Amino acid sequence: MRTSIATVCLSGTLEDKLRACAAAGFDGVEIFEQDLVVSPSSPEQIRSLAAGLGLTLDLYQPFRDFEGVTEDLLAENLRRAEAKFRLMNRMGIDTMLVCSNVATATVDDDAVAAAQLRRMGELAARYGIRLAYEALAWGRFVSDFEHAWRIVEMADHPNVGTCLDSFHILSRRWDPEAIEKIPAEKIFFVQLADAPELSMDVLSWSRHYRVFPGEGAFDLVRFMGHLVRSGYDGPVSLEIFNDVFRQAAEERTAVDAMRSLIRLAERTSIHLQEEGNGLGTMELATLPGVGEPLGFNFAEVKAGDPEHIRTLLYQLGFTSLGQHRTKQVELWAQNGVRMIINSQQADGMSPGISAVGLDVPDAPAAASRALQLKATPVTRRSQANEEVLQVVAAPDGTEIFLCQAEPAGPGWMSEFGGGTTVPAPGSITAIDHVNLSQPWQHFDEAVLFYESTLALSPRPSVEVPSPMGLVRSQVMHSSDGAVRIALNIAPLVFDGAGDGSGYPQHVAFACSDLVSVARTAVARGLEFLPVPENYYEDLEARFGLDQTFLATLRELNLLYDRDADGEFLHFYTATIGNVFFEVVERRTGYEGYGAPNAPVRLAAQYQGSRA
């Protein structure tokens, strides 16, 4: 599959965009007219730069409001078009996007539109230019891709074909199956965009909320399946209008874009194989198949001064298993739960979650897949007798260790010594979930990263009120719930840095007896996150709890939730730097996260930050 991307997707200058696209691995680009108009580089210089970067210039766009006009206006439109054809010759671009008329069309007659496109095609042929006619979803007379194809068919000119844009098709709920009826040689170009389900006018939806494939709600796998079966084998390009993407670093956005196309190609290939009715001629990406993560291997907190984290872990019943023999890294454990405290190159650093280890069925395959999906490898300094671990960086910088699942436990534990050799036998039994705050401008990127590289599935996102606005949360999880990673976006006022760094993150531990863990913690001096009396009065009103049980919740600052499947008890520690811990007890079939209690935590943390 030849990959392309419109320069309008990215921030920066046209020259910056070309370099970012080349670095991300794209084959070519669409030149968005405004990017060229504002560039100080000549068309010849842009052509030379693209060639030097190994990029083809696949499309010049957009040419607007051409067809369905009076003869006088048509003459002016042909004059405009010829000027662009000369420009395209200077740039070495042979295809122009012609959008269906939205502003100046006054003649609602397909025969007139086809005749006018034919005249444009005759002029384009003199310059070796092809015209890809696209139905805009808000076109005045032409808004349906099948309608646009009928006009192209009537125009009957070798230089006039159609452009298929997934947004314009799927946003109007058109059935993409009709793509297979269009001759492949008349599909001159294909543009892809995903989008979340929103209730708003389609023009605003298109201009502000498109996202990369896999980051929205459109069924692009089915769309691509029909495209492949049509026999099309040209560029598959991304055209994304998104206010957030155009404020983010172009290099990072380009990598996210390429990851989305690689993942879409893989999913399309699987879809076509499952249907068993033709793969077409387009070559689709194949990646190493990986199973879901089997569980958490460890979680790591990095801190310049680790003493407060040591104390918290001790109060929760963890035991120190000593320090790494060559690094400033400590291991704490309870049953099979392992926590790392990393003090390497951390002078003056506030505590925060820096890494998560996941048990996977095949670590080399998982690492290979992640790298092919454009994940950034992380180099670790290791001695000859230390275990080699596969590590990649998540979009927020968290290091993800892909650990080979071992029944006897991880081999790297032998590299630690000097502490107790046997983990504490307390009630904490597993890492229930890890909560990672995300930069607001890269939330969709993070969801796609965890879904595509780690085979985790997204749960529906929720919004939780805090004293400074709404916190958006989305959980990525394995099918059996053994791995749950919650991704949160904090309000910008709360997260003053705007990069996720100002919003607390946490590790939640699962236990078999929350009250027992809480009493042990109290005896060891743990300061719980305080819960107001108003919460317990509300709890009593909502659930009618037994008074003795309610008194225990009050005494220990415990929180409670219940749904049709079971009960949920949990408590939070105070925040140290940028991290805190949660301990949870799930009873029967409860699968949630105590969302009704999140505002209590957020308010208490906010008040604590102002103290």
Side-chain angles (χ1 to χ4, degrees):
M1 184 174 80
R2 274 211 303 133
T3 59
S4 188
I5 183 171
T7 56
V8 73
C9 300
L10 308 174
S11 64
T13 67
L14 179 54
E15 296 80 1
D16 291 339
K17 296 179 184 195
L18 293 177
R19 294 186 182 96
C21 293
F26 280 93
D27 299 314
V29 297
E30 305 175 33
I31 296 294
F32 192 72
E33 186 172 67
Q34 182 176 319
D35 287 326
L36 178 66
V37 169
V38 302
S39 171
S41 300
S42 69
E44 290 81 7
Q45 288 172 321
I46 294 299
R47 177 178 185 171
S48 176
L49 174 60
L53 292 169
L55 292 171
T56 56
L57 299 181
D58 297 330
L59 185 77
Y60 190 83
Q61 67 121 327
F63 193 87
R64 300 186 186 278
D65 300 326
F66 176 79
E67 84 293 355
V69 297
T70 62
E71 189 64 27
D72 288 347
L73 187 51
L74 176 64
E76 171 59 21
N77 288 346
L78 289 170
R79 183 200 64 78
R80 283 194 298 124
E82 188 167 17
K84 296 305 177 183
F85 297 157
R86 288 193 291 265
L87 172 65
M88 291 169 64
N89 281 173
R90 293 169 64 191
M91 300 188 74
I93 305 176
D94 67 2
T95 306
M96 172 190 277
L97 179 69
V98 181
C99 303
S100 63
N101 200 322
V102 302
T104 64
T106 56
V107 183
D108 185 9
D109 187 325
D110 287 358
V112 170
Q116 292 179 347
L117 280 175
R118 187 184 308 115
R119 289 178 62 179
M120 191 183 191
E122 291 168 351
L123 181 60
R126 300 177 199 170
Y127 294 88
I129 302 296
R130 304 188 311 162
L131 307 175
Y133 181 56
E134 173 187 59
L136 297 182
W138 51 90
R140 176 166 291 183
F141 299 131
V142 180
S143 60
D144 176 354
F145 78 103
E146 293 182 85
H147 188 182
W149 161 239
R150 289 195 299 270
I151 292 174
V152 167
E153 197 171 24
M154 291 173 64
D156 191 23
H157 193 282
N159 288 67
V160 179
T162 192
C163 173
L164 300 174
D165 184 310
S166 67
F167 182 86
H168 295 299
I169 295 171
L170 300 179
S171 65
R172 296 292 299 271
R173 309 297 194 271
W174 305 124
D175 189 343
E177 184 176 1
I179 290 172
E180 296 186 40
K181 300 176 183 178
I182 304 174
E185 66 273 12
K186 296 301 285 185
I187 303 174
F188 283 3
F189 207 75
V190 172
Q191 296 173 319
L192 296 180
D194 206 339
E197 286 287 359
L198 298 173
S199 297
M200 63 191 312
D201 68 278
V202 69
L203 177 58
S204 298
W205 191 15
S206 171
R207 285 288 175 259
H208 302 285
Y209 297 102
R210 298 193 195 194
V211 290
F212 294 127
E215 297 177 352
F218 289 168
D219 189 352
L220 288 179
V221 172
R222 182 168 176 262
F223 178 94
M224 281 293 295
H226 294 307
L227 180 67
V228 172
R229 283 195 293 269
S230 77
Y232 177 78
D233 196 24
V236 175
S237 187
L238 297 171
E239 187 193 41
I240 311 297
F241 297 90
N242 185 292
D243 298 338
V244 172
F245 292 174
R246 284 180 283 194
Q247 298 177 60
E250 65 275 7
E251 300 95 339
R252 181 167 177 171
T253 304
V255 168
D256 184 30
M258 178 54 74
R259 178 182 297 126
S260 76
L261 278 182
I262 295 170
R263 175 59 171 148
L264 177 60
E266 179 192 39
R267 292 179 64 205
T268 302
S269 178
I270 294 170
H271 165 70
L272 290 170
Q273 290 171 15
E274 289 175 346
E275 287 201 336
N277 56 357
L279 298 179
T281 59
M282 186 183 294
E283 292 187 9
L284 299 173
T286 57
L287 300 172
V290 296
E292 294 179 325
L294 305 174
F296 288 100
N297 190 282
F298 67 89
E300 177 183 283
V301 174
K302 195 161 189 173
D305 180 2
E307 187 57 37
H308 291 300
I309 300 300
R310 290 187 192 118
T311 300
L312 273 183
L313 291 175
Y314 164 75
Q315 289 168 337
L316 293 175
F318 283 77
T319 299
S320 170
L321 300 190
Q323 184 157 323
H324 194 274
R325 59 185 176 228
T326 64
K327 302 178 179 70
Q328 287 182 279
V329 175
E330 304 170 32
L331 173 61
W332 289 69
Q334 183 172 172
N335 295 312
V337 186
R338 293 169 288 274
M339 289 294 300
I340 300 289
I341 305 177
N342 187 344
S343 303
Q344 296 184 109
Q345 299 176 330
D347 289 347
M349 183 181 294
S350 295
I353 297 173
S354 55
V356 174
L358 299 175
D359 285 327
V360 296
D362 187 336
S368 175
R369 178 183 178 84
L371 295 178
Q372 290 180 58
L373 283 161
K374 302 297 179 178
T376 303
V378 176
T379 303
R380 295 179 65 250
R381 178 178 59 85
S382 300
Q383 301 292 339
N385 59 347
E386 294 175 0
E387 186 163 339
V388 176
L389 297 174
Q390 309 285 347
V391 193
V392 297
D396 66 353
T398 303
E399 295 181 359
I400 305 297
F401 284 69
L402 302 169
C403 307
Q404 186 65 46
E406 302 176 37
W412 56 260
M413 289 182 66
S414 63
E415 298 167 18
F416 290 80
T420 303
T421 57
V422 179
S427 297
I428 288 177
T429 57
I431 293 177
D432 185 85
H433 62 275
V434 175
N435 188 307
L436 301 173
S437 57
Q438 302 297 309
W440 63 271
Q441 67 270 45
H442 296 300
F443 185 83
D444 292 323
E445 176 190 3
V447 172
L448 177 62
F449 171 85
Y450 285 103
E451 185 274 332
S452 62
T453 62
L454 299 175
L456 297 177
S457 300
R459 293 174 65 107
S461 63
V462 297
E463 292 181 336
V464 177
S466 82
M468 300 303 293
L470 293 177
V471 175
R472 178 183 171 192
S473 180
Q474 187 156 28
V475 175
M476 308 299 297
H477 68 105
S478 58
S479 58
D480 63 359
V483 172
R484 301 178 176 98
I485 298 177
L487 307 175
N488 282 1
I489 302 180
L492 290 180
V493 176
F494 197 116
D495 179 22
D499 61 359
S501 62
Y503 183 71
Q505 308 184 96
H506 75 274
V507 179
F509 303 113
C511 76
S512 56
D513 185 345
L514 187 78
V515 172
S516 173
V517 174
R519 293 202 186 282
T520 297
V522 167
R524 295 185 175 191
L526 176 67
E527 294 185 13
F528 292 79
L529 192 71
V531 179
E533 173 58 26
N534 292 333
Y535 167 79
Y536 293 107
E537 291 186 10
D538 179 69
L539 203 63
E540 183 176 17
R542 284 194 291 141
F543 295 117
L545 298 177
D546 173 81
Q547 289 300 307
T548 301
F549 178 58
L550 187 62
T552 300
L553 298 180
R554 277 194 176 96
E555 173 196 354
L556 297 172
N557 285 274
L558 307 183
L559 298 105
Y560 176 88
D561 189 32
R562 185 170 73 204
D563 63 17
D565 298 314
E567 297 175 295
F568 187 67
L569 284 75
H570 57 141
F571 71 78
Y572 302 101
T573 71
T575 303
I576 305 297
N578 195 37
V579 68
F580 63 96
F581 298 119
E582 178 185 10
V583 183
V584 311
E585 180 186 345
R586 297 178 182 274
R587 294 181 176 178
T588 61
Y590 186 98
E591 289 295 328
Y593 299 85
N597 299 328
V600 177
R601 168 177 66 82
L602 291 165
Q605 289 174 330
Y606 175 72
Q607 292 164 5
S609 70
R610 293 164 59 90

